[in-house]
Each structure stands twice: as structure tokens, then as C-alpha cells.
Amino acid sequence: MSPLSLPDSSFLSAASDELKRMLSAQAVEVTLAEGEVLFEQGTRGESLYAILEGQLEFSILAADGRKLSLDMMGPGAIFGEITLFDPGPRTATVTALARCRLLRVRHDDMLGNIRRNPDLAEDLIRLAGQRMRWMGRLLNEQVFLPLPTRLARKLLHLTEVAGGDGAALALSQAELAEFVGATREAVSKTLSAWRKDGVIAAGRGGLTIRDRRALLALADPDAI
């Protein structure tokens, strides 16, 4: 039994205490060195993971063979939860950007406990439904929100993962464009306007947030 508990966040934030205890009891610690791949796109997945320390990059291969970065996650993030219900091909490659400590819960271990404690199945089904609605909202945002709103939200998320507003994001404009599903030219134009307004700063160390309140306002869809 792992002496560590799964984070009370993300997918598990609305879980019952009993379900959290059951999943934490099945968790096994996994460590990754910087640059090590946890799993690759297309390989079979059967485990949920929670990040205790470090940063992970999520990426896919485009049709032309280019690597496209989708996201970065840090401590407290939980991913791979779909495979708890339905093991299948991973949709992205996950790589450690720094030394990482993770907790892993396997599908078979969880299923064995559900069979012994069937009342927990109702809790898991409810969590799955909530996660599906969350994924639907993300898709709607990607389709319907304008680029400045999407970019502001992504910058807030990435700087939080990197260590806060003072942390520099060493990402190119092309990489940021991949994150938000836009062209590099459109992202460059938006960032240039934000630099002039003092919302962000950009230098050799990377991009940093100078006015978080302004960026939060830009990330608010109701302010459109």
C-alpha cells in the first residue's frame, strides 16, 4: 500500500472519501528522469496517473511527422482517468520535462476493488459523467472562443505549471500557436499587442506575465 495519497484535485475533486481511500490504497509510486517518456501515443493505456513532483509535456505527432505540443502539467494534475473505465490506445505521448514523481493506479486493481465494493461503482460513474461534460466544455472553448481568450487562458495555465507569474515560458511563438490551435502569425500579432499594453514581457529568458489582472480579464469569455 502506498503511504502517499492521490491529490484531491481535478478528476478526484468531487469523489467520495471512500473512493479516494480505495484508489489511494492501490496507488504505486513511479519516478521519471528528465527526458524520460512515460508512455507513447498509440500504446495501450490502463492506468491513471497523478503528478506529485515535476513537469510533464503532452504531445502528438502530426500527419507530416512534426511533434505538436498539447499541454504541460505539474504537481496536483491527474491524467489518464479514461483508461480506468476503458483501457485503450493512448492519445498522446507524455515526456518528463524534469525529474518527476507520480502515483499510478491500474485499471485491473481498481476493477477488483469495485467488484468487492460495488457501491463505489456509482461514484465512479458519476465522476466519468462529470469528466465527459468537462471535456465537452473544452472542445466548445477551442471551437467558439476567439484566439486572444484561448491564448490568455493557456498562458495563465502554463505559467502556473512553470511555477507562477514570475516564471518564464521558454516557448516559441510557433509552439504557443500549436497549444491554442492557431497560426504563428496570429499569435505573434496578439502577443505584440499585449507587450505594448504591458500585459506580458518577452526576452531571452522567455515570456513572463507582467499584469496578471489584465490577462485574467482577457481570459474571461464574458468580457468579449
Side-chain angles (χ1 to χ4, degrees):
M1 179 181 295
S2 171
L4 299 171
S5 297
L6 289 164
D8 187 16
S9 58
S10 184
F11 172 68
L12 295 178
S13 60
S16 68
D17 290 340
E18 187 177 1
L19 179 60
K20 291 174 186 175
R21 284 194 295 268
M22 184 273 282
L23 292 175
S24 291
Q26 306 306 313
V28 175
E29 186 170 338
V30 176
T31 59
L32 297 174
E34 181 178 352
E36 188 173 354
V37 174
L38 177 62
F39 54 74
E40 294 187 347
Q41 178 183 353
T43 58
R44 186 178 187 274
E46 58 175 8
S47 301
L48 167 149
Y49 291 91
I51 305 175
L52 299 177
E53 296 178 7
Q55 295 178 14
L56 294 173
E57 178 193 49
F58 294 73
S59 63
I60 62 172
L61 286 179
D64 59 4
R66 291 183 301 120
K67 187 189 83 168
L68 302 180
S69 295
L70 299 178
D71 204 352
M72 288 192 297
M73 293 187 183
I78 295 173
F79 60 95
E81 63 277 1
I82 296 301
T83 61
L84 278 186
F85 306 97
D86 181 30
R90 295 291 190 183
T91 57
T93 295
V94 177
T95 307
L97 298 177
R99 183 184 180 277
C100 293
R101 292 175 58 234
L102 315 171
L103 288 179
R104 180 185 66 204
V105 178
R106 294 186 185 275
H107 164 81
D108 289 345
D109 295 332
M110 181 274 297
L111 195 60
N113 275 270
I114 291 296
R115 287 171 177 155
R116 292 189 292 271
N117 302 278
D119 290 344
L120 294 178
E122 182 178 347
D123 202 0
L124 272 173
I125 291 171
R126 178 173 54 82
L127 289 180
Q130 291 175 353
R131 198 60 166 177
M132 290 175 66
R133 285 192 293 272
W134 175 80
M135 293 172 68
R137 288 195 296 270
L138 285 185
L139 179 60
N140 287 336
E141 290 178 3
Q142 189 71 12
V143 172
F144 296 111
L145 290 182
L147 169 61
T149 304
R150 302 201 312 272
L151 184 57
R153 290 185 171 197
K154 183 58 68 174
L155 288 179
L156 288 166
H157 166 67
L158 292 176
T159 50
E160 182 178 351
V161 172
D165 291 349
L169 295 179
L171 296 172
S172 68
Q173 293 180 356
E175 288 172 321
L176 285 174
E178 291 169 0
F179 275 126
V180 296
T183 65
R184 188 195 64 78
E185 291 76 13
V187 167
S188 177
K189 182 178 179 180
T190 303
L191 293 177
S192 178
W194 290 353
R195 281 196 298 269
K196 292 178 180 178
D197 293 338
V199 178
I200 63 170
R204 291 184 178 180
L207 184 151
T208 57
I209 296 176
R210 294 185 60 188
D211 189 340
R212 180 178 177 81
R213 182 175 298 179
L215 198 60
L216 284 169
L218 290 165
D220 184 0
D222 294 332
I224 298 173

